[in-house]
Amino acid sequence: MSGDYIGESLKEKRNIIIGRAEDVVINQVSNILLRIKGKVSQKAWRKLLNIAEGLDKDGTYAPAINAVRGAFENNHPYIQFLEIIAKKSPSCRKKLIMNFFLNAVFKGRKKREEFSLKNNTPQPFFFVISPTMKCNLHCLGCYAGNYPRKDKLSYEIIDRILKDAKTMGIYFVTVSGGEPFFRDDLMELFARHNDIYFQVFTNGTLIDTKLAQKISQLGNIAPVISCEGFEQETDHRRGKGTFKRICKAMDNLKEAGVIFGFSTVPAAYNYSTLLKEEYYEFLVKKGTLFGWLFQYIPIGFRPSPELMLTPEQRVTLYERIKEIRNRYPLFIADFWNDGPYVKGCLAGARTDSGYFHINSNGDIEPCVFAHFAVDNILDIYNRGGHLWDALNSDFFKEIRNGQPWNENHQMPCMIIDNPQCLRDVVKKTHPYPTHEGAESIIEDPMLTKHLDNYSKGLRNILKERDLLNPQPERKSVAI
């Protein structure tokens, strides 16, 4: 028996022992978190952070851990999260800890690294899937408004996609659309894959008390309800009566003990409302724990550059959001302006924080807002392939090779912040547009001129306000 063989055998056994020890620690931490009923003591906080640092051996999550420590030291509102979550349903608390933090973040990372090394693929943290583009609303400027309404992703195909995802080490999946809850089999898929944590973007109008209770019982679903401000702004975009319906949906989820969030599209019609503290007070009272801001992009249904915020408005709103983060137990993520936290663009299945999108037709897009593809999951499966086969296409590789698109991570986007980059990638790799009119974002003279001027204006305003290459604020939890 060779010395090399013995050495490798001992190394393998050592890794197994370490892995088992980590599992014991993780399970102990899980039990501690699940038993929390009220305010968390300083001693408990320090212990949890020390354990997290011990598990994070290579420092991947050090910025997030340090941000939480900073929040604790400064008595930040974010430290109320554990106390709030302790009041949620047992299933929701358990699945947040087991599925998201353990499976997706800690255990999933090692699995993603090993899979990547073996198969020569990138390591995206998550992906977005749109099981349907059918919807009961007709929202102004909907990014998905021009997709075909015929859904081609069967239950069996989605089930296979989720199995492939877990093989890759992905245990966090975002579900979008269309209105996801139009699918009658969606809850069955969530139950079947009860080791995945699902974030579901929904207009909220179908969440009655019965559905809220089902979501609560499963526990591995975090609905994200679209809300554009108060009644005037929400109904302006989503139709009369929508605001009252989503308020009822929030009440149903809160009553059922569900962890849920909100999604808002900053645009010309709601800018002034999004600057008001009252909006975020409202969201906290309704029970939301987190939320997403997605800048309006002129794609999809009747693209209109006039709906975009001006560069000055975008920067002013972000400065306001940073203030709000320090006042409320409401985690707000800005998909564009928080680029410094994730080192720029996430598109094209980028390793670490990156992702990709599978639309209801099966097309595999680099980003929810970049409607181009070279692969379709149905074609891949028909030829006996797997989900990860799409991640090393020339299209995706060219995107990853170009990242970050800008040395200033507050200008991360290849679509609106660095529009020439998307044009160059499409020209070089020849992807097909995934719906009628998708190519207008790179070909329509009116849109291209507007985006060129927008990106120049954004750089200038960031420079004027001395915000080029800013460091993430310590008090906010990074994502």
Side-chain angles (χ1 to χ4, degrees):
M1 185 178 293
S2 70
D4 289 345
Y5 176 82
I6 294 173
E8 287 298 319
S9 179
L10 289 173
K11 183 178 179 181
E12 184 178 346
K13 288 180 180 179
R14 179 176 175 272
N15 289 336
I16 291 173
I17 292 170
I18 291 174
R20 287 175 178 172
E22 288 180 348
D23 286 345
V24 170
V25 173
I26 287 171
N27 288 330
Q28 288 176 344
V29 172
S30 301
N31 291 331
I32 292 171
L33 292 172
L34 289 172
R35 287 198 301 266
I36 291 173
K37 298 297 182 183
K39 190 172 183 178
V40 184
S41 69
Q42 292 185 6
K43 183 178 179 181
W45 266 114
R46 291 193 183 97
K47 186 174 181 179
L48 289 170
L49 289 169
N50 289 338
I51 291 173
E53 285 180 327
L55 293 171
D56 184 34
K57 291 181 174 56
D58 60 3
T60 299
Y61 300 113
I65 294 170
N66 289 334
V68 174
R69 177 172 279 109
F72 170 70
E73 292 172 353
N74 291 281
N75 197 31
H76 194 281
Y78 283 1
I79 67 175
Q80 299 175 37
F81 277 150
L82 282 183
E83 299 160 27
I84 297 172
I85 290 172
K87 299 176 183 177
K88 300 301 180 181
S89 78
S91 293
C92 289
R93 285 188 284 125
K94 182 177 181 179
K95 291 301 182 180
L96 175 67
I97 296 167
M98 301 301 293
N99 292 15
F100 182 74
F101 287 108
L102 302 189
N103 291 350
V105 177
F106 285 108
K107 292 183 178 180
R109 179 183 60 176
K110 184 177 180 181
K111 192 171 181 180
R112 290 191 293 275
E113 289 173 349
E114 292 174 348
F115 183 88
S116 173
L117 186 64
K118 182 179 179 180
N119 296 277
N120 192 32
T121 62
Q123 304 168 41
F125 178 67
F126 74 109
F127 67 95
V128 180
I129 186 168
S130 297
T132 182
M133 287 301 174
K134 296 174 183 176
C135 188
N136 56 331
L137 301 182
H138 302 280
C139 301
L140 176 67
C142 176
Y143 83 93
N146 278 2
Y147 280 111
R149 290 295 186 268
K150 186 176 181 180
D151 304 327
K152 294 187 178 180
L153 299 181
S154 66
Y155 178 97
E156 291 74 21
I157 290 294
I158 298 175
D159 180 55
R160 187 171 174 181
I161 290 171
L162 296 175
K163 288 177 180 176
D164 273 357
K166 288 186 282 190
T167 299
M168 297 166 62
I170 298 175
Y171 288 86
F172 178 59
V173 176
T174 293
V175 182
S176 189
E179 171 48 49
F181 289 116
F182 250 91
R183 289 277 303 233
D184 294 333
D185 55 5
L186 194 64
M187 296 298 286
E188 185 179 341
L189 280 162
F190 293 156
R192 182 176 178 84
H193 295 276
N194 63 359
D195 51 351
I196 292 178
Y197 200 72
F198 294 95
Q199 177 181 233
V200 182
F201 283 86
T202 170
N203 63 38
T205 59
L206 302 180
I207 301 179
D208 55 17
T209 55
K210 185 177 179 180
L211 180 55
Q213 285 297 330
K214 286 183 179 179
I215 293 172
S216 176
Q217 290 164 10
L218 284 179
N220 63 333
I221 308 159
V224 181
I225 297 180
S226 298
C227 184
E228 311 302 341
F230 294 113
E231 186 169 19
Q232 179 179 342
E233 297 83 18
T234 300
D235 286 4
H236 172 75
R237 186 180 191 217
R238 299 185 172 273
K240 188 175 181 180
T242 302
F243 181 74
K244 291 179 179 178
R245 295 171 73 183
I246 66 171
C247 284
K248 181 60 178 175
M250 290 180 181
D251 292 342
N252 292 336
L253 292 170
K254 185 178 181 180
E255 180 67 24
V258 174
I259 295 168
F260 68 97
F262 75 94
S263 172
T264 298
V265 177
Y269 55 81
N270 65 357
Y271 171 69
S272 60
T273 297
L274 301 187
L275 293 174
K276 296 177 181 177
E277 195 163 332
E278 291 81 1
Y279 179 53
Y280 308 98
E281 288 179 349
F282 157 77
L283 291 168
V284 170
K285 289 178 181 178
K286 280 293 179 183
T288 61
L289 276 174
F290 65 96
W292 289 92
L293 299 182
F294 294 99
Q295 303 290 321
Y296 171 77
I297 291 184
I299 56 173
F301 180 63
R302 296 180 183 175
S304 173
E306 290 77 19
L307 290 177
M308 292 181 69
L309 295 185
T310 66
E312 184 173 9
Q313 287 175 332
R314 170 172 161 177
V315 175
T316 298
L317 177 59
Y318 185 55
E319 292 176 334
R320 180 60 169 152
I321 291 301
K322 289 189 287 187
E323 294 175 0
I324 296 298
R325 286 171 173 167
N326 290 325
R327 296 181 185 177
Y328 295 96
L330 181 65
F331 182 76
I332 305 173
D334 188 317
F335 198 69
W336 274 259
N337 293 317
D338 278 331
Y341 290 111
V342 292
K343 299 179 182 179
C345 174
L346 303 179
R350 196 194 86 183
T351 291
D352 293 331
S353 305
Y355 86 110
F356 55 94
H357 176 226
I358 304 174
N359 66 31
S360 64
N361 192 53
D363 302 309
I364 303 174
E365 301 167 332
C367 170
V368 168
F369 304 104
H371 299 173
F372 298 91
V374 295
D375 285 302
N376 184 289
I377 194 62
L378 301 177
D379 295 335
I380 289 174
Y381 284 162
N382 284 338
R383 61 176 181 257
H386 295 278
L387 174 61
W388 52 86
D389 294 345
L391 305 189
N392 276 335
S393 67
D394 289 343
F395 181 36
F396 273 32
K397 280 184 176 179
E398 188 67 19
I399 289 173
R400 294 196 297 270
N401 289 338
Q403 295 166 334
W405 304 108
N406 198 304
E407 61 183 10
N408 177 24
H409 292 323
Q410 258 189 279
M411 296 183 64
C413 183
M414 64 177 174
I415 307 173
I416 63 172
D417 298 338
N418 308 279
Q420 188 59 46
C421 295
L422 177 60
R423 296 168 202 159
D424 291 343
V425 169
V426 171
K427 184 177 180 179
K428 184 174 182 178
T429 59
H430 309 290
Y432 57 85
T434 53
H435 61 74
E436 184 179 353
E439 68 281 0
S440 65
I441 195 72
I442 60 171
E443 294 180 359
D444 185 298
M446 178 188 70
L447 292 179
T448 57
K449 181 179 179 180
H450 180 87
L451 293 179
D452 287 340
N453 291 334
Y454 174 89
S455 61
K456 291 175 184 176
L458 181 58
R459 173 175 283 277
N460 289 337
I461 194 68
L462 288 171
K463 186 175 182 179
E464 287 174 12
R465 299 194 188 185
D466 196 26
L467 293 172
L468 291 176
N469 295 314
Q471 294 297 315
E473 72 261 29
R474 179 173 171 78
K475 291 183 180 179
S476 296
V477 180
I479 57 169

